Amino acid sequence: MKPRLALLASTSALALAGCAAEATPVPVEALAQSGRSAFVCLAIDRPDPDKPGVMRSLPITDCSYGTVESSTDYEVDAKNGGRATLPHLYGLVTQTTHGEVALVDLTTESSLIVDRDTGTPAPSFLPVGAQPVDIVATPGGTASFVAVAEPGRAGIYALPSAKVLPRDGCPVPSLSSWPACSLPSAPGEMVLLADPPDTNGNVRSSCDAGPPPYDVEPTKPGDPGAFVDDVCATSNGSLAMEGGGRQKLLVTLPDLGGFVVIDAQKLLEHEDYKDGGFKACEVERWVPLQVSLPPAVPPDEPPPEEASPDEVSCSQPAVAASPEQAFDKARPAGLALSGDRLFIADLDAPVIHVVDLPTPCEPRELPSLLPASTLDPGRVVTTRRLAVSQASPPEFNRYLYAVDAGDGSVMVFDVSDDVSDDASGRSPLSRENPDWNPFQPPDRIRLPAPVRDLAIVQREVPRSLPATGVVPRGIRCSPLPELRTCDSSVTSCDLETLYRTSTDRDSGAGPLKLRGTFAYMALTNGQVAIVDIDDLDAACRGPERQSVRAGCDADASPSSPLLETSGEASCNVVLPHAVRSETYIVASDGSGQLEPGVQGLPILYDRSGAVVPLSGESPKMRATFPSEGAAPDLALAVGVQREAIASSDSAESELDEQGLVLRSGGPQHALTMNLEDPRVHIANETWNVTYEGVLTSITRASVAFDENLHLRGTDARFCRRGVQSLTSVKAQLKAAGVPEDEDGTRAGQLADFAQITSELPDEDATYWKSVDSAVCSFDTCNAKYGSVITSRPALRIVEAYEDHLELEPRNEVEFAACCFAGSVQLGIRAGGQWVVRSNGAGFLHHVIADPAGGYCRNSCDTRLSRFNGRVVHTPRDGRVTDGDVGAFINPMFRFAVTGGVPEQDMQFRFTTQGAFTPLALDLADISDTPELQPQSIQLVPATGQLAVTDGSVQGLFLLSSRDVAVARRYR
């Protein structure tokens, strides 16, 4: 290992009391290319104060948050036989480049990384062979096991805890110091399991030892004083002393497509394996994993006769068939264990293996889970890492999170006991109401960067009863106003009220108070994102009066009492299997604007940029009202205040005030934000709503008139640009019930039109000598196309395809084709509609090319129904309800534009604010380099913290269990 650059501290390395020399300081960059980690709890007892201390391994839960200054301080109680009262928590971290395991003392305040050989200038760790891929520790801390994938020497090394600590006068460990066995193939992930004892407490010596009664009697804990003279720990320890059964290693072998079961105790003690023996591991069970897929589902057959384009108001997207690829064998990857159920990811096949493990000796493979992609059903979806939640009351649901190996997103499976075994029950969960947030895939969690690893943890911050001091756990917060609140003056109260958000929001239910079950996801960009699974405080996070507009199940009665909630804007501030918010979703004078809203009310401008005052003759932007039920009290967050939206007309002005904001200076333009899912507000943007605005400008694609007078370009992508033709509008109006004698006229008003924006050839260009003078000339062309672009002829789009447009009127199209030679530049505008676009999202639409006919139509996919960028002007002034022809909705907000006589390029402008901020820890913020490569994240049971290893030079991070922060860093 090469020397590093700087020193961590001038304190000594870990040494056993009474038998270790002071060690040189360990460099700060001692850890490099860290991989996986495991944790053990160890104490040093002093039964004889005149002799060296004796190491005692303990259950991991016996270690705690306690810290000491010195690495040799175990707070020995001389009155209790020299027993240590403060065991140390040690982390063992694989170093993938150097084939070592680093030992980190997590209990000393000096954050020591243990140097095993103080006689060398560079830090020395525990050698284990090249390419360590995983490490696990026994529950009682007796030993750790490292799987290595070194070419030609794949195997498992056992690290007895008694030998990992430095001892004065004892040899520095080498590769041959450890018991080791070889594997027939490179290992992958592994897990420790216990083969349970029989009713008499006996265990079986191997999986083939026969049925109960078993052949090995239970081992009693030994006397630490018996080992006082074993200074250099010649014994590897006994796993039997940990109790709980005979411990087995379940090790995946990716190249062979299965897993093996190996006896952990035998590896520790057998003569064939001691001193780096490296004989073949004795495999007690070999389980080749099966790949069983349901029959491929063919795509929907097209109708026997192609429908007329005049009849097609929307098109069903093309659906690829599910993969029919054959898979010879599995390639196991990540593991997740919950009770007696083991889940195994697969890097090659689109399955997640499910293995029933009543004991490690009787594994039985169950029907696999079926990773898939709703948006790309033809893709073979494989998985890398897994995490599973524990069942929790009242429903006792259990969820498996799986990282998609292809794109790094996360799928969620319901693996509760009562879930159906058919294909639908084994597929990823889909979000309810996917149209609320169409930016997210419906069947997975997509984060700003791919997920490298994940862990699911349960958090609890219990409150004590003021009158009794009792600390109940697992209590769900309730906002019901009829409950009796708990304070010091009452002896009987409703415990659910203990966790409500305080009036000033500095305590109780809130974004940084984690109570329940959560997924922590380590991203490749160095962030750790937090996802809600089951927040015990979810019911207390939301509006005081519920409404459907806020994503609640129903509108509350105006006469009902207010709920005792956090007063946030949405019922889905907390949403299962969705990223958690970093802030309260409220408008607050103290904390700034956090509720989705606008920085200022919309303002209308004319084409020249002058403000158009709101009057009876001007167009007005109005908030729309629900079409069913009692209208809730609508409001819009403007700056740091919530402005009420008029739900009735006061008749105090010439205007119908419904849907407008009323201020002292008079009514103002308004809109309402969509609050069903605040995560849809991904950015603060400036929005323009322009009458007959430009949908798209085609300046780079090669577009020219063909022999049929169609504007054609192979890379024009007219459907993907959202072009809407006369035929499409007519079909939509017909489907909406517009009378047949009206739909043609109305469609002509609303269809898109193209304006050629190219410059004419110069007057003296030879081109003019080749044109038919009866059709055009420079003078006639210049009369129409030499003027301001916006006044050039509008060529109505009769039908649009991905690569060409059919235009009318015929004489104007023929004239334009004559005036312009070769490629032309285009501006495509919406007819009779307001175009909504932003500086970030651009023009939203859900137009696709019809799979059968190729023409451009809106998609029938309801998930995309809010991808809209057109507002039909409503000539009549007054109230507009959702679903009306002029009611506009996109993912972020909704409104209508009514009254007045709009002119082309009139424009409303406003800027949104209150974008959703996901709760995440950025590890780069506390590092001196942005080059982070998180490799793994796992729970440290002793402290409830989460350990994140970095594959570059940042070592090991410990994330706090008490708040959302980094507790310590070791490198």
Side-chain angles (χ1 to χ4, degrees):
M1 178 179 288
K2 64 181 181 179
R4 271 61 171 202
L5 302 178
L7 299 183
L8 174 67
S10 59
T11 53
S12 63
L14 176 67
L16 290 185
C19 65
E22 290 297 307
T24 55
V26 176
V28 293
E29 295 183 359
L31 301 184
Q33 289 77 51
S34 298
R36 309 282 284 182
S37 59
F39 301 88
V40 294
C41 183
L42 306 176
I44 303 298
D45 296 327
R46 297 295 300 275
D48 186 340
D50 296 325
K51 292 186 178 182
V54 177
M55 193 217 75
R56 175 165 47 97
S57 59
L58 295 164
I60 189 70
T61 51
D62 282 10
C63 280
S64 65
Y65 284 104
T67 59
V68 290
E69 281 288 338
S70 171
S71 61
T72 60
D73 184 1
Y74 293 86
E75 297 188 359
V76 172
D77 184 358
K79 296 180 180 179
N80 189 25
R83 197 171 184 84
T85 61
L86 181 63
H88 287 211
L89 178 65
Y90 295 95
L92 295 99
V93 185
T94 60
Q95 305 296 283
T96 58
T97 300
H98 300 287
E100 297 176 317
V101 171
L103 186 66
V104 184
D105 186 346
L106 307 179
T107 301
T108 60
E109 295 179 358
S110 49
S111 305
L112 277 179
I113 298 172
V114 180
D115 190 351
R116 286 298 279 112
D117 184 4
T118 60
T120 59
S124 176
F125 299 141
L126 308 173
V128 292
Q131 300 182 25
V133 294
D134 201 5
I135 182 170
V136 294
T138 63
T142 303
S144 302
F145 298 88
V146 185
V148 298
E150 180 177 354
R153 284 188 62 84
I156 303 173
Y157 287 84
L159 309 185
S161 295
K163 293 184 177 181
V164 301
L165 300 179
R167 304 293 297 267
D168 190 28
C170 297
V172 175
S174 64
L175 200 59
S176 62
S177 299
W178 318 117
C181 68
S182 65
L183 291 168
S185 174
E189 292 192 21
M190 58 183 180
V191 64
L192 268 168
L193 304 168
D195 187 20
D198 62 19
T199 55
N200 296 319
N202 294 346
V203 298
R204 50 183 162 181
S205 56
S206 75
C207 287
D208 298 320
Y214 293 148
D215 56 338
V216 180
E217 294 183 357
T219 301
K220 297 180 179 180
D223 176 15
F227 300 96
V228 72
D229 294 321
D230 189 12
V231 176
C232 293
T234 57
S235 170
N236 292 330
S238 173
L239 300 184
M241 295 176 65
E242 294 188 6
R246 182 90 174 186
Q247 297 195 47
K248 308 288 184 179
L249 283 166
L250 186 151
V251 186
T252 59
L253 300 178
D255 292 341
L256 300 183
F259 64 82
V260 294
V261 176
I262 296 169
D263 189 86
Q265 181 63 41
K266 188 170 295 184
L267 175 55
L268 267 182
E269 66 183 14
H270 199 280
E271 288 293 324
D272 287 345
Y273 308 134
K274 69 182 299 186
D275 301 329
F278 219 68
K279 295 289 183 66
C281 300
E282 182 176 332
V283 174
E284 297 190 349
R285 291 289 182 269
W286 157 244
V287 180
L289 294 169
Q290 305 300 311
V291 178
S292 178
L293 298 174
V297 179
D300 294 336
E301 293 291 333
E305 295 184 4
E306 184 178 329
S308 168
D310 295 342
E311 304 294 325
V312 179
S313 60
C314 72
S315 296
Q316 292 290 349
V319 178
S322 57
E324 294 188 21
Q325 185 173 348
F327 300 91
D328 294 334
K329 65 180 181 180
R331 187 174 184 82
L335 305 176
L337 181 66
S338 178
D340 58 1
R341 195 65 52 87
L342 179 68
F343 301 92
I344 307 176
D346 197 306
L347 279 171
D348 281 353
V351 297
I352 296 173
H353 307 278
V354 183
V355 181
D356 184 38
L357 288 170
T359 79
C361 298
E362 286 81 30
R364 180 174 64 94
E365 192 166 1
L366 302 176
S368 301
L369 302 177
L370 303 172
S373 170
T374 299
L375 299 186
D376 188 4
R379 179 166 72 93
V380 176
V381 179
T382 60
T383 49
R384 288 190 293 106
R385 296 283 176 85
L386 306 175
V388 64
S389 69
Q390 303 303 312
S392 57
E395 289 84 9
F396 294 95
N397 292 330
R398 183 171 52 178
Y399 299 100
L400 180 79
Y401 277 45
V403 179
D404 186 328
D407 62 10
S409 62
V410 175
M411 295 165 285
V412 182
F413 297 83
D414 188 344
V415 292
S416 307
D417 292 338
D418 58 352
V419 174
S420 168
D421 279 341
D422 61 19
S424 62
R426 295 184 282 136
S427 300
L429 294 179
S430 290
R431 288 183 293 116
E432 295 183 10
N433 306 112
D435 56 313
W436 287 354
N437 187 359
F439 300 114
Q440 274 283 333
D443 59 348
R444 60 198 58 223
I445 305 167
R446 180 170 291 162
L447 294 150
V451 175
R452 176 61 181 164
D453 196 14
L454 71 171
I456 293 178
V457 299
Q458 289 184 307
R459 299 292 195 207
E460 175 64 293
V461 187
R463 296 283 303 275
S464 61
L465 287 168
T468 65
V470 174
V471 184
R473 304 178 69 89
I475 303 299
R476 293 183 181 272
C477 186
S478 173
L480 297 178
E482 61 267 24
L483 298 182
R484 186 173 184 181
T485 58
C486 297
D487 57 49
S488 57
S489 63
V490 298
T491 57
S492 176
C493 62
D494 292 300
L495 303 179
E496 299 93 330
T497 65
L498 285 169
Y499 299 95
R500 290 174 176 173
T501 308
S502 62
T503 305
D504 55 7
R505 298 194 179 93
D506 65 351
S507 64
L512 303 182
K513 181 64 68 65
L514 302 183
R515 287 199 327 117
T517 306
F518 307 89
Y520 283 69
M521 301 183 181
L523 311 185
T524 56
N525 65 357
Q527 290 186 330
V528 177
I530 299 176
V531 169
D532 290 315
I533 297 178
D534 181 18
D535 185 354
L536 297 177
D537 292 333
C540 291
R541 300 280 307 281
E544 294 175 335
R545 190 177 301 283
Q546 296 191 344
S547 69
V548 173
R549 279 283 189 95
C552 312
D553 293 335
D555 293 322
S557 168
S559 60
S560 62
L562 296 178
L563 297 175
E564 298 286 341
T565 68
S566 57
E568 294 177 82
S570 173
C571 276
N572 293 312
V573 170
V574 175
L575 192 63
H577 317 305
V579 290
R580 188 173 180 84
S581 171
E582 183 181 71
T583 59
Y584 288 102
I585 310 297
V586 294
S588 168
D589 292 332
S591 59
Q593 171 61 38
L594 302 174
E595 178 182 333
V598 293
Q599 295 179 12
L601 291 171
I603 298 175
L604 179 62
Y605 300 86
D606 64 17
R607 174 180 289 179
S608 68
V611 174
V612 178
L614 193 152
S615 68
E617 289 73 37
S618 69
K620 302 158 201 67
M621 181 179 286
R622 298 176 183 268
T624 58
F625 292 86
S627 55
E628 297 179 359
D633 295 331
L634 298 183
L636 173 64
V638 184
V640 296
Q641 297 181 352
R642 301 189 87 231
E643 300 271 7
I645 293 173
S647 58
S648 60
D649 185 15
S650 67
E652 295 179 359
S653 69
E654 61 177 357
L655 302 176
D656 187 328
E657 299 164 346
Q658 297 180 91
L660 301 176
V661 166
L662 302 183
R663 285 184 170 175
S664 57
Q668 302 291 322
H669 301 292
L671 68 155
T672 54
M673 308 302 291
N674 294 332
L675 300 173
E676 298 101 334
D677 183 355
R679 293 159 194 80
V680 75
H681 300 279
I682 55 179
N684 298 325
E685 299 184 275
T686 297
W687 291 84
N688 300 322
V689 182
T690 309
Y691 187 69
E692 293 193 339
V694 176
L695 303 179
T696 182
S697 296
I698 300 177
T699 59
R700 297 182 180 179
S702 178
V703 177
F705 287 99
D706 63 13
E707 65 277 7
N708 297 315
L709 298 181
H710 299 160
L711 272 175
R712 185 177 297 274
T714 55
D715 58 347
R717 302 182 300 171
F718 291 115
C719 298
R720 285 185 240 183
R721 295 174 187 266
V723 175
Q724 183 172 265
S725 67
L726 176 72
T727 311
S728 173
V729 176
K730 189 173 182 180
Q732 292 178 53
L733 292 173
K734 183 177 181 180
V738 174
E740 190 172 347
D741 58 347
E742 297 179 17
D743 60 10
T745 302
R746 192 78 176 115
Q749 297 169 345
L750 300 177
D752 293 346
F753 58 89
Q755 286 183 310
I756 297 176
T757 59
S758 301
E759 296 291 335
L760 288 169
D762 293 337
E763 184 176 2
D764 56 357
T766 57
Y767 169 76
W768 298 113
K769 297 178 181 180
S770 63
V771 301
D772 185 350
S773 58
V775 179
C776 74
S777 65
F778 174 80
D779 290 336
T780 56
C781 289
N782 191 52
K784 284 192 174 184
Y785 289 99
S787 57
V788 177
I789 289 177
T790 54
S791 63
R792 289 184 174 185
L795 305 178
R796 188 71 58 189
I797 300 173
V798 179
E799 188 60 278
Y801 298 81
E802 192 74 330
D803 63 347
H804 71 279
L805 302 175
E806 297 176 4
L807 307 170
E808 67 174 19
R810 174 81 181 187
N811 61 328
E812 287 288 356
V813 176
E814 186 177 5
F815 179 75
C818 179
C819 291
F820 294 93
S823 297
V824 297
Q825 297 180 349
L826 293 178
I828 297 179
R829 289 177 175 264
Q833 300 173 80
W834 299 80
V835 174
V836 183
R837 64 185 311 129
S838 74
N839 60 336
F843 172 66
L844 298 176
H845 67 87
H846 53 288
V847 175
I848 62 172
D850 183 84
Y855 38 76
C856 301
R857 293 294 185 272
N858 283 337
S859 171
C860 298
D861 186 350
T862 56
R863 183 183 68 87
L864 308 177
S865 61
R866 292 191 179 186
F867 272 154
N868 297 311
R870 303 168 181 271
V871 188
V872 176
H873 186 80
T874 302
R876 175 188 55 82
D877 243 338
R879 184 188 188 97
V880 178
T881 59
D882 295 335
D884 289 350
V885 173
F888 171 80
I889 184 172
N890 73 4
M892 284 70 72
F893 46 77
R894 62 186 80 193
F895 62 84
V897 181
T898 69
V901 180
E903 299 176 358
Q904 191 178 87
D905 290 331
M906 266 189 168
Q907 186 177 88
F908 291 95
R909 300 176 197 165
F910 58 90
T911 300
T912 58
Q913 60 180 27
F916 183 85
T917 303
L919 181 59
L921 279 167
D922 195 338
L923 301 180
D925 287 346
I926 64 165
S927 304
D928 50 15
T929 173
E931 300 299 325
L932 287 170
Q933 301 173 24
Q935 298 299 301
S936 70
I937 182 170
Q938 69 180 94
L939 179 68
V940 183
T943 61
Q945 296 171 319
L946 283 157
V948 182
T949 56
D950 175 53
S952 58
V953 296
Q954 296 304 306
L956 176 69
F957 295 87
L958 286 184
L959 310 186
S960 173
S961 63
R962 300 174 180 178
D963 51 26
V964 184
V966 174
R968 302 176 80 178
R969 180 178 60 152
Y970 307 83
R971 60 175 205 169

